[in-house]
Every structure is written in structure tokens, then in C-alpha cells.
Amino acid sequence: GKNNITVDYGTTIAVSGNVVTISGVTFTGTPTTKTTQYTYHFSKWSVTNGATVTGNLTVTASFTRTVNNYDVTIKVSPSGYGSLTHTKVESVPYGTTLSVNGNKLTINTTTPTTVTATPTPADAQYTYKFDSWTNGTATVKGSTEVIANFSRTVNTYAVIWKSQDGSKTYETDPAVEYGKAPSYDASTPTKDR
């Protein structure tokens, strides 16, 4: 805002940080309150400490603003079904967009960061697969969480039945899930091998 005061010619102006004092009247340069997007800072006064009034004078406070930064946290769901090349990217500017391409999440900063989601290697029981991203196309407007979603399927195996004399071999159809007991009811299996 503007404040007008009348002072005598030759009055000395005192400047200290964001405070200016003229003839015992103090003015404080107070930055605008921080928003989710910006933080405002007092920069300087248009006069220096010890300046004297020699005529009409306008004293102006200057301010700057900086874009706020936030962390982007990336998690795996369900836990243990996959891994990530990054689990947190710090100091991402407000307004930064995220994008996805398959199992890759890109945080589009000046120097983009790409996070790769990799399924856990298959084991005897399960095969793991990357499915999708939750919040993968967000715009950073605060601390942001992105989730890499994975799934798993139970592996199946063919069970081979052999006749007692070894002259015939049969394979189960459909294959048997890992951990399930195969059964044979003494009839001829559906798949001759």
C-alpha cells in the first residue's frame, strides 16, 4: 500500500533489512503470505541507509517470489511384487507434470527423471507383472504420491503320468497350479504324449 508522510528537507532515512524509518515513522516491507505455488521474499528498498530527503521522494519495497518445491514419492503395490529405480524424487517444482509410458514414469522437470517399475523375477510359484500407475499423470501441486501397481499369477505345470510298464505317457490337461496336488482317477488322461 501507499503511505504518505511530510518530513523536513535533509531528513535522514534509516534502512535495516525490510524496515525503513523516516522521521520516527517505521515502514515494514512484508512479503505476501506463502501459497502452495509460491513463496514471497522481501528483496530491497529503493533507498539506501543514510540517504537524505532533498525533495519529493517515493520509497519502494521490492519483492521476489520463488516456485515452491515438493517431493514425489513412488511406491510399489502390493509390496514385494516389483521394484523401482527411484522411490523419491525431491524438490520437484510446483506445476511439474508427470507422464507415463508403459512401466516408465517421467517427472518432467528441466532435467526429467524417469522411474522404471520392474516386476519381481518369476519364481517356482508366481509370475509377476507390471499393470499400471496410480496418479502417474498428476500435476505436482504439493507432496505427491504415485503407485506402481503389480499383479502376480500362480504358475501352472504339466503333470506327466506314465503307465506302470512305461509304454504310455499322459500329460494333464489343463496344467496343475503350483501347490495343488494332481489327481488321477484311473481313466485315460485327455492328452496323449
Side-chain angles (χ1 to χ4, degrees), residues 7-191:
V7 297
D8 294 332
Y9 180 92
T11 298
T12 301
I13 300 172
V15 176
S16 177
N18 68 331
V19 176
V20 66
T21 304
I22 306 169
S23 250
V25 179
T26 300
F27 301 94
T28 304
T30 305
T32 301
T33 303
K34 177 180 177 177
T35 65
T36 54
Q37 184 173 6
Y38 296 111
T39 298
Y40 298 88
H41 311 275
F42 171 81
S43 179
K44 64 180 181 175
W45 290 101
S46 61
V47 293
T48 58
N49 188 44
T52 57
V53 177
T54 58
N56 289 338
L57 177 67
T58 300
V59 178
T60 305
S62 297
F63 298 90
T64 59
R65 70 179 183 194
T66 55
V67 173
N68 293 327
N69 293 320
Y70 297 96
D71 293 344
V72 175
T73 304
I74 308 100
K75 296 182 177 179
V76 168
S77 179
S79 179
Y81 282 34
S83 62
L84 303 164
T85 53
H86 299 80
T87 56
K88 184 186 255 187
V89 178
E90 297 178 337
S91 298
V92 176
Y94 178 98
T96 298
T97 59
L98 310 181
S99 60
V100 295
N101 183 5
N103 69 330
K104 298 195 182 305
L105 165 76
T106 301
I107 300 166
N108 298 300
T109 55
T110 306
T111 305
T113 300
T114 299
V115 178
T116 303
T118 304
T120 296
D123 57 27
Q125 185 172 9
Y126 296 111
T127 297
Y128 297 87
K129 177 177 97 97
F130 170 79
D131 289 328
S132 65
W133 294 98
T134 298
N135 214 20
T137 57
T139 298
V140 174
K141 293 184 177 176
S143 293
T144 304
E145 181 177 277
V146 179
I147 299 172
N149 299 294
F150 293 88
S151 60
R152 69 180 182 191
T153 54
V154 176
N155 294 329
T156 58
Y157 293 92
V159 176
I160 308 298
W161 302 95
K162 291 185 178 186
S163 61
Q164 193 168 6
D165 66 2
S167 63
K168 285 281 198 184
T169 303
Y170 300 100
E171 183 177 328
T172 55
D173 188 23
V176 178
E177 279 189 2
Y178 178 95
K180 301 272 172 113
S183 62
Y184 182 56
D185 61 9
S187 63
T188 303
T190 56
K191 202 173 184 183

